[in-house]
Each structure stands twice: as C-alpha cells, then as structure tokens.
Amino acid sequence: MRRTARSARTASSARTGGGRTGRAVIAGTVAAAALAALTAATPAQARQRPHWDLKDTGAAGASDVRFRGLAAVSRHTAWVAGSRGTVLRTTDGGDTWRNVSPPGAGGLEFRDVEAFDARRAVVLAIGEGEASRVYRTDDGGATWTESFRNTDPRAFYDCLTFFDRRHGLAMSDPVDGKFRILSTSDGGRSWKVLPSRGMPAAQNGEAGFAASGQCLVASGPKDVWLATGGAARARVLHSADRGLTWTTADAPVPAGDPARGVFALAFRDRVHGLAVGGDFRPGEASPRAAARTTDGGGTWRSAARSPGAYRSGVAWLPHSRTAALAVGPTGTDLTTNGGRTWRTVDTGSYDTVDCTADLGCWAAGEQGRVARLEP
C-alpha cells in the first residue's frame, strides 16, 4: 500500500519443514513444553516461560534499518529484509549475521523475503513504478538476479508468497480497479501478470499493507489469501486456484480510513486462519484488531478479546492447533484457543513474526531488531 510505505520511509511462505519422523516428534515435544511455559500461571513458572531473545546482527547501520521482511527456515537459519535495501542472513541461530544485500539496492525498500533454505531466497522491494522489484539468490546472497521490475507506474507491489519451491505469487495494489497478481512457476526466476478477469472489483481506496510481508499468504498447493484495508470495509480475498479466480469476505477489523484494515494473515491449513490489523497510527485505538476463520476465509469472526493495539504480524506456533503469536510496535500477544482470545506476553516492538517446525520462531522490526523465541 502506498500510504503504509510512505509512513515508514516514503510510508508465509515456502520453507524447509518437518524433516524425518523422529525430528518431528522431538520438535513437537519442544513445542508442547514451550506452549505450557507460555501459558504458565504461577510467578515461578512465568519466570521460565519462553521469551524473545534480541540478536546482535553486527551489521553496520543496522540499527537504522526497519526489518519488515522475515523468512524463518529453522531455529538456526533465518533471513530478514528491510529498508535501505538491506538483507541479512544467519545460519547459526542468530549468533552471527552476514550482510547479503543485493549490490546497488541501497535506495530500495525491501518488505518481504521468502526463503526455501539457507541458500535460496526471493526478496520483494516495494514502491511505485520501477521501485517495485523482485530479486532471487541461489548462493546464500553472494549474488542476486533481478527477476522482475515493474514498469507500470500505476502498480505498487506489497507482498509475495510461495506454495512450494517453484510456484509463487506477488500482489499489487489495484490497477484499473482490481488487485494485480504476478505469478512465477520457476521459483521466482521469471514472472508474469495473471489475467484480471477472475479478480473482483476493488473498493474505493482499497489496497494492501506492506507492513510485514504477510498481506499475501498461501497454505497447501493452491490456496492463497490476500488482506486489504484503506476502504469502507476490510476484506480478505481467497483463491483456490493459485490466483486465477478469487472470492471476497468482509473482515470485522477496524476500517473506514486509509490507515486501517487487515495487515497480516496466517493459515495453519486451508481452513483455519487468523487475521490481525487495526490502525497503524501511533496512539490510535484499534478495537477488534483480530479475527479468525474456520472455513477457509469464507466468514470471519471477531476475537472475543483482541490484542490491545494494532498488530502487523501473526504466526501459528508449530505443532499446535490452537496457539499463535501476533506482533506489533507495542508488543506481542498470544492466543491458546485458536484466536478466540489474546493476551499480551511481551512489550517489545516487532513488525513481523515467523515460525518453523522445529520451534524456530523469529521476529523482526524497527531499529534493526531481530529476535528468536527462546525456551
């Protein structure tokens, strides 16, 4: 969304997963223990609960960078992307980081990164016209190839997502009254604009929010959801055929203003999903800032108790059918009942969050903040 990008400075994903059965069982045990600690009731238990451990990236000037793009590959490997064309990567759990920013990208705003492993990743730069670009690396960021540059001055790309290592989509704010969808079938090496005939008309002022890389998310081989705001009603659009045709559903989160809407989505399968958002302006109230669906986004219900403020990122905890984290500039919230109620568990500022099967939960945000969830 143009407004969000300007407020910040002019303003999930394909990943390696579960592994062998033994590792999955171990990871599940770790996740269960972490969940028990997160929901601990006594003060002694609370002191032992998992917490965000801030990592020193060691990158020059990183404290001035806002990392809104995040791809968690495992507890050991993660990528972050942000302002000033910055991309960092760790392969040792955040102890050390390598600045793998594409050469000559210092004037770009990276807002999304999708990583397949420690070597292969795709990053999206946002902005009007040629500022919207996609880069891909196959060697851990040692070299990058620019695989897409937007040449339509009316388009503004916000987010990207992958169904698998080959098939992915990127989305732009409406062009000619409809959201524009970009598609790849070769892992982000090449892209094409999909026909718009299957896309419903956009509302007046409707757009996506380039706030966390989670305004376009996929689950399974063909299902994808698109979050919107800035219009009279916040909506979630759903496609079951990799972006060729779409349906729409209203989301009961704050709307009716360019700063309000759904900012992030997370689906743990093709039917159970979470939406978070609100009003991104500091100090503005964001009642009903979270919603949930149990029918693949056909209908959405407000949380009985929402996060206390605007939230820009959300992720399901691995190996849990009911637990998830939501993050924003004023803190982190936890749900243990599938999004029915949320409670604040941390007050640090983060814009985006992502988790992996081995409980590799990471968060990133302003002032170069990157953290990993520690037991």
Side-chain angles (χ1 to χ4, degrees), residues 30-101:
V30 173
L35 178 58
L38 276 169
T39 57
T42 70
Q45 290 172 322
R47 286 194 294 270
Q48 301 173 15
R49 69 177 46 171
H51 61 279
W52 289 122
D53 180 35
L54 278 171
K55 303 297 183 180
D56 181 5
T57 65
S63 61
D64 297 326
V65 174
R66 190 162 195 162
F67 291 118
R68 293 183 183 269
L70 166 65
V73 176
S74 69
R75 277 189 59 79
H76 302 290
T77 300
W79 300 68
V80 291
S83 53
R84 296 167 49 187
T86 306
V87 180
L88 306 181
R89 183 195 62 149
T90 183
T91 57
D92 58 10
D95 290 339
T96 61
W97 294 80
R98 177 171 295 181
N99 188 330
V100 294
S101 306

Side-chain angles (χ1 to χ4, degrees), residues 1 3 174 179 201-209 227-235 237 250-251 253-263 278:
M1 174 181 273
R3 291 173 292 275
F179 285 95
Q203 302 175 85
N204 183 38
E206 191 173 25
F209 288 104
T228 83
R233 305 185 312 280
R235 300 196 298 176
L237 283 63
D250 291 348
V253 301
D257 186 276
R260 299 174 184 164
V262 178
F263 281 71

